[in-house]
Amino acid sequence: VQGVLQLAQQRRCVKATKSNSESSRSHLLFTVRFELSSLTNEEMNRQGVLHIVDLAGSERLDKSGSQGTLLTEAKHINTSLSALSHVIQKLQEKSEHIPYRDSKLTYLLRDSLGGDSKTLCIVCCSPHQAHFNESLNSIRFAANASKVELKQGNKVDV
């Protein structure tokens, strides 16, 4: 696992913008699939998936000064974050159709967002006054995500 994480870190794309000297230019999704089986009970097998996601922050184009390739990357980041927000909104509304296919990110996370799962959101915010609006938006995003009612987990009798 450590080797895979090191490889991901090496391939991570980071560029400087006016608002951030090390701006992530993409999201990071690390997935671990595992299977547990009992040595004493052959019928007790469990499978699971752990997604660790580092979302690139939304970018205010007027503050970042992004142009050219950076502008294109910022648009893609903002579009996928909007798609994720839309999925979260539809889950809160208990809509019959959840638009998981609107982005690669939401499609890959569909089981974790609306399935039989547990979800934890950690938000990193800046204490600087200049970043107040971005920090507030991040906190609001996490608050909205926390309101989604996930399906009840399968109870396992041991």
Side-chain angles (χ1 to χ4, degrees):
V1 174
Q2 179 107 10
V4 173
L5 288 174
Q6 286 175 342
L7 179 63
Q9 182 64 21
Q10 290 169 358
R11 292 184 177 177
R12 183 172 171 245
C13 184
V14 176
K15 301 264 174 67
T17 66
K18 286 183 182 178
S19 57
N20 187 351
S21 63
E22 292 186 25
S23 177
S24 293
R25 307 315 302 160
S26 63
H27 306 306
L28 172 73
L29 174 61
F30 180 70
T31 302
V32 178
R33 298 183 187 280
F34 56 92
E35 185 173 327
L36 303 172
S37 56
S38 172
L39 296 174
T40 59
N41 183 355
E42 290 182 20
E43 294 179 15
M44 189 167 159
N45 291 326
R46 298 284 179 236
Q47 296 177 349
V49 178
L50 171 66
H51 293 296
I52 300 172
V53 183
D54 180 9
L55 297 174
S58 64
E59 198 168 288
R60 303 251 185 252
L61 300 178
D62 57 335
K63 285 187 177 183
S64 69
S66 295
Q67 296 177 350
T69 304
L70 289 178
L71 178 62
T72 303
E73 290 169 347
K75 287 179 182 178
H76 287 298
I77 290 167
N78 291 346
T79 299
S80 69
L81 290 173
S82 292
L84 180 58
S85 293
H86 191 226
V87 164
I88 289 169
Q89 176 188 1
K90 292 296 182 182
L91 286 167
Q92 285 176 333
E93 295 170 357
K94 298 184 175 153
S95 175
E96 288 185 27
H97 173 70
I98 310 298
Y100 293 116
R101 292 184 178 207
D102 284 0
S103 81
K104 290 178 186 177
L105 177 68
T106 55
Y107 185 75
L108 291 170
L109 296 176
R110 67 191 178 281
D111 291 334
S112 295
L113 293 169
D116 180 11
S117 62
K118 302 281 184 195
T119 303
L120 172 67
C121 185
I122 300 172
V123 177
C124 297
C125 296
S126 172
H128 297 290
Q129 181 65 30
H131 301 135
F132 175 78
N133 288 331
E134 286 81 0
S135 295
L136 184 60
N137 286 336
S138 296
I139 291 168
R140 285 180 179 153
F141 175 83
N144 284 333
S146 71
K147 293 176 186 171
V148 173
E149 292 180 22
L150 299 171
K151 294 178 186 173
Q152 189 73 7
N154 294 329
K155 185 177 179 185
V156 178
D157 292 327
V158 182

